[in-house]
Amino acid sequence: ARPRVGYFYTGKTGAQLLTEKIGKLTVKNYQSIPVVVNESASVYDAICTMFLEDVGTLFVVNRTSHLVGILSRKDLLRASMGKQDLESMPVNIIMTRMPNITTCEPTDLLLDVAQILITKQIDGLPVVNFKETDGETKMEVVGRVTKTSITKAFVDIANNKIV
Amino acid sequence: ARPRVGYFYTGKTGAQLLTEKIGKLTVKNYQSIPVVVNESASVYDAICTMFLEDVGTLFVVNRTSHLVGILSRKDLLRASMGKQDLESMPVNIIMTRMPNITTCEPTDLLLDVAQILITKQIDGLPVVNFKETDGETKMEVVGRVTKTSITKAFVDIANNKIV
């Protein structure tokens, strides 16, 4: 297509257009596949999973596949420095659990997530759907959104791949 | 200042303005302070430094303070899983070394770095100045640019903080 040049009416400055464009990106456009481990898995298994799947954050789920914890590379590194036996230590001893888990939903703005990642100094968030079961709110993990996702969005915007 | 509204001539579409704006950001605008360890330091010391400084990547320097290697959180995690004694293992056994180190310079475009981080699946690059000493090219580490730096730039663009 030929570039549109000349006078045109927008009522907006370039900067406003930019802000708007970024403000339209949602988590579901950039989320990747979540990598989960069961809460009964050992720290050793979790480290192996992290290497095999090449991710920086693992989500811990219970028997009904609902989110109960998060394991960062830092959590696993800290555990592996100790003198304990990693194969007999379950992940639920070292994982971050509620209410200290920050989550997001597929319809959340990518920009809001980016701001949370910076402010809370974390690498990634689980993308969840909330479900009401037996009067309790459960979280079903449907994705993973990280600084890598944001970096991809940054490249896409610069390369004009976002309409 | 009041927003500029109405007809204005740019010869450019909003998307082009966006691309241009991002294309002007250089590494030096977003780099952070590098965290280095000496090549004779132990893996144990490196892990402690990583926790204390709260970074994901350490740069390894020699006696003359030139870059000789890189240690990712993953490298340290892999080492700490083994049965070896971390306090007696020097970092130069496990570090990534030249020619496998990707570097960038302060004047490089942030966009190019973002693309390298995605393509090579790495978390951060050392920002270096090249120096000719005794006919050899040495690298002086002056900064660190990571997916966190890119995420900050993304937020700044969206919030219209970039002129």
Side-chain angles (χ1 to χ4, degrees), chain A residues 121-140:
Chain A
Q121 302 190 344
I122 45 182
D123 285 330
L125 297 184
V127 184
V128 302
N129 282 328
F130 291 98
K131 283 167 111 185
E132 287 290 330
T133 317
D134 307 330
E136 268 190 282
T137 307
K138 306 280 192 182
M139 292 179 288
E140 184 189 44

Side-chain angles (χ1 to χ4, degrees), chain B residues 113-130:
Chain B
V113 170
Q115 253 150 347
I116 290 168
L117 296 178
I118 297 292
T119 314
K120 303 208 169 185
Q121 302 191 345
I122 45 183
D123 285 330
L125 297 185
V127 185
V128 302
N129 282 329
F130 290 97

